Amino acid sequence: MDGFEVQIEGCSMNRFSRLLPSARRRVVAAAAAILALGMIGWAVAPILTASPGRDAPRPALWAATTSAPASGIVRVVDVVAHPDDDLYFMNPDIRQSITDGQQLTTVYLTAGEADGRNIDGRNEARLRSLGALPPADRPGYALARQNGIRAAYAQMATGSPTSPWIREAIPTAGGGAAELDVLSARPQVRLLWLEMREAESIHGNAPVSLHGLWDGRVTSIPAQAVADGPVTKAFSYTPAQVVNTLAGILGAIRPTLVRTQDPTPGGDPNADHQDHIYGARFVQAALARYAAEVPASRRPHFTVQTYLGYQSGEFRPALAAGAARLKLQSLLTYGWSGKQDYCGRSPLGCGDRKIDTRPQGYGDWAGTIRYARDTSTSWLLSGPGGSMRAFGVLDGQAAVWNRTGATWSGPHLLGGTGIDQVASAVRLPGGATALFATRTLGSTPADYRREVVYTVQSRAGFGPWRSLSFPDAVSRQASLDISAPAVTVDASGRLHVYVRDGDFTLRERTGRADGTWGPWRHLGGSGVRGNPVAVEVRGRVFVFASTIRSVLAWEAPRPGAEVGPATSTHLPATTLPLTVSASGADARLCFRQPGTGRVMTALVRPAAHGRVLSTLAARDGAQGYGPVAVTAGVLAGRAADGTLAVSGPVGPGWRGSPYRGLFSGEPSVVCDGSSVEVAVVGADARLHTTTVPDPTPGATEHAVAT
């Protein structure tokens, strides 16, 4: 096949919006005390009044408890390598957590001391040329970055960057100490500084770093002192102490959602900052330790959301202008752009001057947000007699919820650990269900790996996980970054599994109902990014995957045949995530328009004589980001503020209420007779569903420029 005829139109989304209020706050040191962060559960309690001295009475910031939290409570833990990784790569999700009043703790692994010079790039180049660079002051620069982060969070939470904080040193389960900052006006907002030494190099050889610690080139890395900080004890971190410290924090807070950076950003080892990559791998190990050692009766279930780092700037902007402006506002505050006194006239600075030259980051990090591998919308399935199943990943294990009639039960964990956050379900011939995912195994360089796995339903339930391994020809580094699998079944009943490898090409493996699998096939496709998507259309398989500039397609020429080579669809650039469904004899793609967040669709069919036609049209709809789930004219996805937006009839036709908060992963929708079920796994790690009866699209279409 030489090409596709492409017709594009917009998908309308009526959204449930919420106002994003600005926030207030100010940086001061005040005294507070806290119980040690051990492997126990704590719940937030009111902060008592304390005077600013180190010897002031110590209020209890948490009250100890051994029970799991009440239904619907949300506790979020963000773990990043450096001060500003959260603002660049996790916003607007962090802002919305604050807006929703969620209990939010952001953990910074390193002190972010870099070269110890708090000057912007232009001045640094000028001073260097004059031979007048100031001496390095790593404790001082680390404090300036802390000041900027406190100001940015205070502004998001209260509207004022000068809203005061309570700062205190606390012991950790790793045997060291950390600085805990609690926002006085909004005590559910907390910052926790572990102050490990940073690599001070994005890609270079830096043995005294998280990378060196992971690889075993050093046995420990020291903590970096922060000027005027409450932590005065000198100590070091071994690999075990890093994991123990993080597992202790998780055990203390008992989160329902953990946000972290991408531990495997691709075949190129220079794809991201080494602190981001190896810090995230220590977080993975700590999550596994926490899930295994803290009984489920003493903690809630949790989900994990993983974010791309430097790579996110390679793609077109994912956020609409308004959301990008709010994100940039926090970065400007962090960078101390207006030079206001946020921090009591500290001579070391109230923010990070290094980002002054380029506050939007390289490749416009401020204009985008992207999840790593968390883009599956194929996890909700309907069954006979109105039954339904939803699949997710909780505590590092696959989970299933079952609906009989109108009643949901679950979650039931399927066993097997290390399951990555995305699971895709497919109905097999005969009615059984197969569940596909990737699994990360190993906590040392020697055994750290990722593989594609699947489990099949039988009368006794789901069986053990089976590995589909990965081709020997793929480098070990490239195999680490395999995407979430796309799965479909063709007319002959064969299963087709597609993954993108870390070299940004597509791989396929096919299997039969008897459990036999063929070898992995290399399907090529240069520059494949994100997750592929696949669909069966009248017995023929279509596969699509985004590149930076367009979308590639692979098509089976006839029912039951293998897909052919990659072909350009000539579609415009997307924001990366795709969703696909069958529409008559065509495949219907859904994606976001860069820079607007508007949802677009493309009807794709083989083109005669290799001629490709594009007719671009759009329908008015909500701005947002991330993938959209679509069926029977109903769409569900993130609105601009990160909350759920759903198209379809709104009002008396709804049964139940749509979920209004942040959620983990992506929505899924399924048509069940005359109604459509919409489901998300909320930030509370619980399944939330709503039913749209008799869906009808009905939106106004208008032409836009190609």
Side-chain angles (χ1 to χ4, degrees), residues 307-329:
Y307 295 76
L308 286 185
Y310 287 176
Q311 283 182 310
S312 64
E314 298 177 12
F315 311 105
R316 299 287 298 276
L319 297 177
R325 279 194 300 271
L326 280 173
K327 184 169 179 175
L328 183 60
Q329 179 189 63

Side-chain angles (χ1 to χ4, degrees), residues 9 11 24 30 86 90 142 167-168 189 193 296 301 338 375 403 438 554 686:
E9 61 185 4
C11 299
R24 312 180 46 179
D86 46 344
M90 294 181 177
R167 299 174 60 196
E168 185 62 62
V189 177
W193 308 88
H301 292 301
T375 55
R403 191 187 78 178
T438 60
W554 294 257
R686 297 171 185 270

Side-chain angles (χ1 to χ4, degrees), residues 407-430:
T407 304
W408 284 93
S409 63
H412 308 288
L413 300 186
L414 301 186
T417 58
I419 303 299
D420 296 321
Q421 194 53 37
V422 177
S424 296
V426 64
R427 188 77 67 190
L428 301 177

Side-chain angles (χ1 to χ4, degrees), residues 319-613:
L319 297 177
R325 279 194 300 271
L326 280 173
K327 184 169 179 175
L328 183 60
Q329 179 189 63
S330 297
L331 287 160
L332 292 172
T333 300
Y334 163 74
W336 198 29
S337 63
K339 302 300 181 285
Q340 299 99 323
D341 179 21
Y342 299 153
C343 55
R345 299 179 183 175
S346 168
L348 302 170
C350 294
D352 183 359
R353 293 189 180 103
K354 284 188 184 295
I355 76 163
D356 222 16
T357 307
R358 195 188 292 266
Q360 74 276 16
Y362 293 89
D364 192 17
W365 297 332
T368 198
I369 182 173
R370 284 187 172 84
Y371 305 123
R373 287 174 294 280
D374 292 354
T375 55
S376 173
T377 61
S378 303
W379 52 268
L380 187 65
L381 293 178
S382 60
S387 64
M388 198 164 290
R389 277 183 170 164
F391 298 89
V393 180
L394 304 176
D395 313 345
Q397 299 183 58
V400 58
W401 291 264
N402 295 293
R403 191 187 78 178
T404 303
T407 304
W408 284 93
S409 63
H412 308 288
L413 300 186
L414 301 186
T417 58
I419 303 299
D420 296 321
Q421 194 53 37
V422 177
S424 296
V426 64
R427 188 77 67 190
L428 301 177
T433 300
L435 188 65
F436 288 78
T438 60
R439 176 168 60 185
T440 300
L441 299 171
S443 57
T444 66
D447 61 1
Y448 186 80
R449 63 198 185 278
R450 177 174 277 124
E451 60 184 7
V452 180
V453 293
Y454 74 102
T455 178
V456 179
Q457 172 196 16
S458 67
R459 290 184 178 180
F462 284 88
W465 289 101
R466 302 174 186 175
S467 174
L468 291 180
S469 65
F470 216 65
D472 292 337
V474 178
S475 70
R476 182 173 178 276
Q477 182 67 32
S479 69
L480 287 176
D481 190 41
I482 53 179
S483 68
V487 188
T488 193
V489 180
D490 69 16
S492 66
R494 286 191 308 163
L495 274 164
H496 296 257
V497 180
Y498 302 92
V499 295
R500 184 219 70 233
D501 62 34
D503 289 330
F504 310 125
T505 64
L506 194 69
R507 305 273 172 169
E508 178 199 39
R509 197 167 185 188
T510 59
R512 297 191 177 277
D514 61 4
T516 59
W517 289 85
W520 283 100
R521 283 206 310 148
H522 187 214
L523 300 182
S526 175
V528 174
R529 309 305 285 265
N531 288 345
V533 293
V535 67
E536 179 267 331
V537 182
R538 296 186 178 177
R540 300 167 61 190
V541 173
F542 289 76
V543 188
F544 301 92
S546 291
T547 68
I548 291 176
R549 295 179 178 85
S550 184
V551 177
L552 296 178
W554 294 257
E555 179 209 5
R558 60 187 178 277
E562 304 285 357
V563 299
T567 306
S568 175
T569 63
H570 297 274
L571 287 168
T574 72
T575 62
L576 198 59
L578 303 172
T579 307
V580 68
S581 59
S583 180
D586 306 323
R588 181 185 293 272
L589 278 176
C590 235
F591 54 90
R592 300 275 189 178
Q593 185 180 52
T596 70
R598 182 168 50 182
V599 180
M600 307 294 291
T601 66
L603 289 177
V604 184
R605 61 177 64 94
H609 310 298
R611 186 167 55 92
V612 177
L613 302 176

